[in-house]
Amino acid sequence: MSQTPALKAVLSISGASCQGCAKKIRNALAPLTGDPELVEVNIERQTVALPEGVDLSEAARILAETGYLAESAPPQRTESTLHSSRDQVHLAVTGATCASCVNTIEKALLSVPGVTQAHMNLADNTATATGAPNTASLIDAIKSAGYGASEIEDEDEAEDRRQAEDRKQYKALMIKMAVSLGLGLGLMIWGMGFGSMMVSGDNQITWFNLGILTLGVMIATGGHFYIGAWKAFTHHNANMDTLIALGTGTAWLYSMVVVSIPEALPATARHVYFEASAMIIGLINLGQAMELRAKGKTSEAVRRLLDLRAKTARVLRDGEERDIPVEAVLKGDHIRVRPGEKLPVDGVIVEGSTRIDESMLTGEPMPASKAEGDEVSAGTLNTHGSIIYEATRVGSETALAQIIKLVKKAQGSKPAIGRLADKISSVFVPSVMLIAVATALVWYNVGPEPAVVHMMIAATTVLIIACPCALGLATPMSVMVGVGKAAEYGVLIRQGDALQTAGKIDLVILDKTGTITEGHPTVTHIHALDGDDRRLLALAAALEQHSEHPLAEAITNKARQNKLPLESVTGFEALNGKGILGQINGQTLRFGNRRWLEAEGVSVVSLTDAAKAITDEAGTPLYLAIDTDVLGVIGVADAIKADSQAAIERLHQAGIKVMMVTGDIDATAQAISAKAGIDDFRAEVLPEDKAKVVNEMRAKGHTVAMVGDGINDAPALAAADVGFAIGTGTDVAIESASITLMRGSLHGVPDAIEISQATVNNIRQNLFGAFIYNSLGIPVAAGLLYPLWGILMSPILAGAAMSLSSVTVVSNANRLRFFKTSQRSEQHTESN
């Protein structure tokens, strides 16, 4: 039976800009609600929802003292009556060490009511639950699975805390490594040089004492493995800790049996392996420390983005300038930025002009000129003049904050190629344990004497050498580095699957206006049949002043430059993909393409030569008619971007075909295609039919990328295998695409494809290495080489190999940090 949503009391607030603010508000209002989780804060809507019955005036007073203005708002209903629910909850997870842990945690999260999707990222130890999750239930589910969890409310604070904990853990692991390896090596040297690794009446007491010492060191330096194994056992799971605990525990226990009752075993079987237990733990600790250090390098891209943020802003309030924390900046504030300073928030310049370095956001190396009326972004660097600008987006709304959010989300996503590892990891540890048991039985029954020693060594080695950790890290480490590398090039990858699919693209479909061209058309030709070009332009501009199309701006700007008076228009109507119409002095004016006017009974044959002159220069002819009489034609051209041809050539070099889809006439489309080097084009395509072209190409077996920037491109972007939105375009287009190009250049498309291919190849290398390592290592550990050459692997060597496998995966992923696209490599070569 469904629960009736509870009525909530709501306050409208101002000044809350991030999850840190939300946390502060929850804690401040906790005395009124009894639990901070009962306070629901919506940063986007700037509202605070409280349980019914809470004194709103008291809540508003508390918020004012905390620094947030508040007033009553209409009550709202909410599905949660106990804890706050959001579309997505991010959690910091502790205790996860391998792919089996990831699988267990994701299953635990999916078992929580309301969760539709769950993902655990072993690379940064975070988990994300999507749907309508209850935060407290998610944390309880992870804890019940044997791991620790806490909600990430402030991403920045969480990142700083994670780095501090990583540094602390690294030091602790290195100390533990030194202690356990020191003991293990000491025992080995003493046993081989001065004593004997075989127990006898002379050294039995000594070995017993050393066994107790070894146990103490194992607990002190490897206690986290045994605790993790015990938690997994009590929750009916098994993970990497299980294998380590069983392997080292078996070696120590066997050695203690030898020391305690040596007479129960044959003389040849009275060998102790205390040094193996200690050294295995030491080597694994060393491997984890090296892995931790290498992991830290994979998140450098996000750290660089975080470092772009200014800490303070110089705000003009009450006639004076004052420096305030960037969190305190409000929309509408006027901010002064001097040369060499970072911009603290997004806004629009109201005074001054300058050049701003936007390379950290867009990948564009040259500073951009900015003047009054131009938009500027947080995190960019003012390189030249002093400006004053008005804040339009602050806190989590800034472009930089959204980029960081997108990068982190993409880094935590899982492409299809990584799901193979998930399937294997779910059965990996139990399978290894069964193999170890089978190995022990084979050696005990058919192995040479002393059978019990060979049995113990082989089984222990199998348990130690198996490495689910390498499987768990193979995909997320590469994804983290690949997504970060893409961000450096101004390419924002929103989904893990897009990262994988981009490398398979064999056909790129381009919109024309704003994608291939500048998106700022200008009037190039005016041809009136009666010779009155000014009247023709004035009538066209009178219609176009009511339109928002890019071509309309070109027409009206031209009329404004010529200081032409514009008549009033009634009954204005815009027909998508055709043109516009309206009435002036009772007469119907139509202004649009040839096909539409001819369909309306207007003959344009008399303007054929004039139209050809326009299309020969890659312009678009627009015809003006009164009723059914054509008056003339106006040519509008949109210049091809300076680097479009070079970007298209890069796609050709990669073996990718390029097609243009445009609503423009055939002659204009043909001229632009020829200039830009495009393979094929479709002209006079209505906006709603662009998606049909994409689906047609996909049906022919192509892996299709669609690149666009307008609202009319959104269906096609969504229909493509990978949608690329030009970051200078509309929000609708950006939301419909899986990859966003922060700068307007088409070079972002081949950049994204090259980074995708490099990342997927890196993932494949990691998975291949992890699979081959385990496929070869486990049989060799079980004794595969013994019948041939009498070789039986030592558990110590197995421990070193296991640690090395994880470090190798992480190190291989870090190679992506040095990857350069073909364009960047060419620029570097030319500069040298």
Side-chain angles (χ1 to χ4, degrees):
M1 184 175 176
S2 61
Q3 187 178 22
T4 302
L7 193 66
K8 288 279 186 174
V10 181
L11 289 171
S12 292
I13 59 172
S14 62
S17 59
C18 63
Q19 288 302 318
C21 299
K23 181 179 180 181
K24 189 186 296 184
I25 290 171
R26 289 194 196 100
N27 291 336
L29 296 178
L32 292 182
T33 62
D35 185 349
E37 288 292 337
L38 294 177
V39 181
E40 299 182 12
V41 183
N42 190 312
I43 297 296
E44 183 178 352
R45 296 178 182 173
Q46 292 287 287
T47 60
V48 175
L50 301 165
E52 189 177 10
V54 170
D55 186 342
L56 290 184
S57 60
E58 178 64 12
R61 184 190 65 77
I62 292 173
L63 287 176
E65 291 179 354
T66 312
Y68 306 98
L69 297 178
E71 59 182 14
S72 296
Q76 66 179 20
R77 291 194 179 273
T78 175
E79 297 294 332
S80 173
T81 58
L82 293 176
H83 296 282
S84 61
S85 294
R86 278 153 283 174
D87 292 338
Q88 207 169 62
V89 174
H90 302 282
L91 302 169
V93 179
T94 58
T97 57
C98 66
S100 297
C101 301
V102 170
N103 189 58
T104 300
I105 290 168
E106 289 180 348
K107 285 182 178 178
L109 291 173
L110 288 170
S111 69
V112 176
V115 176
T116 58
Q117 190 176 3
H119 174 64
M120 163 77 191
N121 188 346
L122 186 62
D124 62 359
N125 290 317
T126 60
T128 302
T130 306
N134 179 287
T135 305
S137 298
L138 294 173
I139 293 173
D140 289 342
I142 292 178
K143 287 181 177 178
S144 67
Y147 304 90
S150 60
E151 184 181 5
I152 298 175
E153 297 195 33
D154 188 321
E155 293 281 355
D156 302 344
E157 183 182 321
E159 179 69 17
D160 292 340
R161 187 167 58 246
R162 186 180 69 82
Q163 289 184 38
E165 289 174 354
D166 283 353
R167 287 192 294 269
K168 182 179 178 181
Q169 187 181 359
Y170 175 80
K171 291 179 181 178
L173 286 171
M174 292 301 288
I175 292 171
K176 290 177 179 180
M177 177 273 298
V179 173
S180 51
L181 272 185
L183 174 66
L185 286 170
L187 289 175
M188 183 182 292
I189 293 170
W190 180 81
M192 295 174 63
F194 305 98
S196 172
M197 303 303 288
M198 304 293 291
V199 175
S200 64
D202 295 334
N203 60 18
Q204 184 176 1
I205 299 299
T206 302
W207 275 120
F208 183 86
N209 292 331
L210 289 173
I212 299 301
L213 175 62
T214 302
L215 177 62
V217 170
M218 288 169 63
I219 294 172
T221 62
H224 49 293
F225 299 129
Y226 302 110
I227 293 171
W230 176 251
K231 284 183 178 180
F233 175 74
T234 56
H235 292 91
H236 312 293
N237 293 319
N239 55 26
M240 187 182 75
D241 291 338
T242 305
L243 300 180
I244 296 170
L246 284 175
T248 57
T250 299
W252 181 85
L253 189 60
Y254 173 82
S255 300
M256 286 304 291
V257 169
V258 171
V259 171
S260 302
I261 46 174
E263 63 278 0
L265 297 168
T268 54
R270 297 172 187 172
H271 193 291
V272 291
Y273 295 93
F274 294 129
E275 87 290 350
S277 296
M279 290 184 70
I280 288 169
I281 290 174
L283 289 168
I284 294 173
N285 279 331
L286 174 61
Q288 289 189 343
M290 294 171 65
E291 178 186 314
L292 199 64
R293 174 64 65 87
K295 269 187 183 181
K297 296 177 182 177
T298 64
S299 58
E300 280 186 358
V302 171
R303 282 204 295 274
R304 279 197 292 269
L305 288 171
L306 291 172
D307 289 342
L308 294 178
R309 299 168 305 171
K311 303 297 183 185
T312 61
R314 187 172 292 107
V315 177
L316 283 70
R317 289 181 182 172
D318 303 325
E320 62 179 29
E321 295 183 11
R322 62 181 73 169
D323 288 338
I324 63 173
V326 70
E327 294 82 8
V329 176
L330 303 176
K331 290 181 183 178
D333 275 341
H334 281 206
I335 303 164
R336 181 183 295 280
V337 182
R338 297 190 175 97
E341 293 179 340
K342 293 178 184 176
L343 278 67
V345 296
D346 293 357
V348 176
I349 296 177
V350 296
E351 182 182 315
S353 62
T354 186
R355 294 181 68 81
I356 292 182
D357 182 359
E358 299 176 324
S359 60
M360 58 287 293
L361 292 185
T362 66
E364 181 61 53
M366 296 299 294
S369 297
K370 300 286 183 179
E372 290 181 22
D374 288 337
E375 292 189 355
V376 290
S377 299
T380 55
L381 183 67
N382 183 24
T383 64
H384 186 62
S386 176
I387 58 170
I388 296 176
Y389 74 101
E390 181 179 331
T392 57
R393 289 188 295 270
V394 300
S396 60
E397 297 177 353
T398 66
L400 177 59
Q402 292 300 311
I403 289 171
I404 293 171
K405 181 180 177 181
L406 282 174
V407 170
K408 285 187 174 181
K409 180 181 177 182
Q411 285 184 332
S413 63
K414 187 179 296 184
I417 192 172
R419 290 169 197 149
L420 174 62
D422 290 347
K423 293 178 181 178
I424 294 174
S425 66
S426 62
V427 296
F428 183 83
V429 174
S431 299
V432 170
M433 293 170 68
L434 290 175
I435 292 171
V437 171
T439 299
L441 290 174
V442 170
W443 277 99
Y444 185 76
N445 286 286
V446 300
E449 290 297 335
V452 68
V453 172
H454 290 104
M455 173 190 75
M456 189 276 299
I457 292 175
T460 298
T461 307
V462 167
L463 292 169
I464 295 299
I465 202 169
C467 188
C469 188
L471 283 174
L473 290 170
T475 300
M477 294 302 296
S478 297
V479 169
M480 280 189 71
V481 184
V483 169
K485 176 58 67 174
E488 291 179 16
Y489 283 80
V491 177
L492 298 184
I493 297 172
R494 299 162 65 92
Q495 304 162 6
D497 283 338
L499 179 64
Q500 179 176 345
T501 308
K504 303 175 184 176
I505 291 169
D506 59 10
L507 174 65
V508 173
I509 298 178
L510 304 174
D511 173 51
K512 178 179 77 72
T513 305
T515 302
I516 300 172
T517 63
E518 294 286 358
H520 304 295
T522 56
V523 175
T524 57
H525 296 74
I526 303 174
H527 182 84
L529 285 176
D530 62 2
D532 192 349
D533 291 349
R534 288 176 63 83
R535 178 172 175 267
L536 180 70
L537 178 61
L539 288 173
L543 282 176
E544 290 288 17
Q545 66 182 327
H546 300 282
S547 173
E548 296 180 353
H549 195 280
L551 297 181
E553 187 177 354
I555 302 289
T556 55
N557 283 343
K558 187 69 173 178
R560 203 174 293 119
Q561 290 168 10
N562 286 273
K563 299 179 180 179
L564 300 177
L566 304 183
E567 298 184 50
S568 60
V569 175
T570 60
F572 175 82
E573 188 176 352
L575 303 176
N576 210 4
K578 298 177 180 179
I580 55 178
L581 62 84
Q583 282 76 42
I584 294 180
N585 299 325
Q587 294 180 301
T588 299
L589 272 73
R590 293 181 176 85
F591 187 51
N593 61 43
R594 177 173 184 157
R595 185 171 62 175
W596 175 50
L597 263 66
E598 288 181 337
E600 295 293 327
V602 179
S603 174
V604 298
V605 175
S606 57
L607 294 169
T608 301
D609 291 340
K612 186 175 185 303
I614 294 170
T615 56
D616 284 347
E617 297 181 16
T620 301
L622 299 172
Y623 301 87
L624 181 67
I626 291 183
D627 294 329
T628 58
D629 297 324
V630 68
L631 299 182
V633 63
I634 296 177
V636 180
D638 190 3
I640 295 174
K641 291 177 182 176
D643 59 359
S644 288
Q645 188 173 358
I648 291 168
E649 178 57 29
R650 285 179 64 195
L651 292 172
H652 286 154
Q653 290 175 358
I656 298 170
K657 288 188 65 177
V658 181
M659 172 188 285
M660 180 179 71
V661 176
T662 178
D664 225 329
I665 64 171
D666 189 271
T668 302
Q670 187 171 6
I672 289 176
S673 293
K675 280 189 176 182
I678 293 170
D679 301 304
D680 192 11
F681 66 89
R682 297 284 180 91
E684 300 183 53
V685 177
L686 295 175
E688 58 268 25
D689 291 335
K690 288 183 179 179
K692 292 181 182 178
V693 176
V694 170
N695 289 325
E696 177 191 333
M697 294 298 105
R698 292 185 67 194
K700 291 182 178 180
H702 290 289
T703 302
V704 179
M706 174 69 197
V707 188
D709 70 330
I711 293 175
N712 58 4
D713 297 320
L717 290 169
D721 292 290
V722 181
F724 288 84
I726 303 293
T728 53
T730 64
D731 291 340
V732 175
I734 291 171
E735 285 300 319
S736 301
S738 46
I739 296 178
T740 300
L741 309 178
M742 288 303 295
R743 53 180 173 147
S745 172
L746 275 179
H747 275 297
V749 178
D751 284 346
I753 291 171
E754 290 177 25
I755 291 169
S756 165
Q757 292 170 341
T759 303
V760 171
N761 286 339
N762 194 271
I763 292 172
R764 286 176 176 150
Q765 291 164 6
N766 286 343
L767 289 173
F768 178 79
F771 289 143
I772 289 297
Y773 165 79
N774 284 293
S775 299
L776 295 179
I778 292 175
V780 170
L784 182 66
L785 302 180
Y786 192 87
L788 300 174
W789 297 292
I791 298 173
L792 186 59
M793 182 182 286
S794 163
I796 296 173
L797 182 59
M802 193 269 271
S803 297
L804 187 62
S805 66
S806 297
V807 174
T808 301
V809 164
V810 177
S811 300
N812 186 57
N814 271 311
R815 287 194 308 110
L816 281 173
R817 294 191 300 118
F818 308 104
F819 174 80
K820 287 184 174 64
T821 64
S822 57
Q823 183 197 24
R824 189 72 60 89
S825 297
E826 288 172 7
Q827 291 173 347
H828 180 74
T829 302
E830 290 172 3
S831 65
N832 289 336

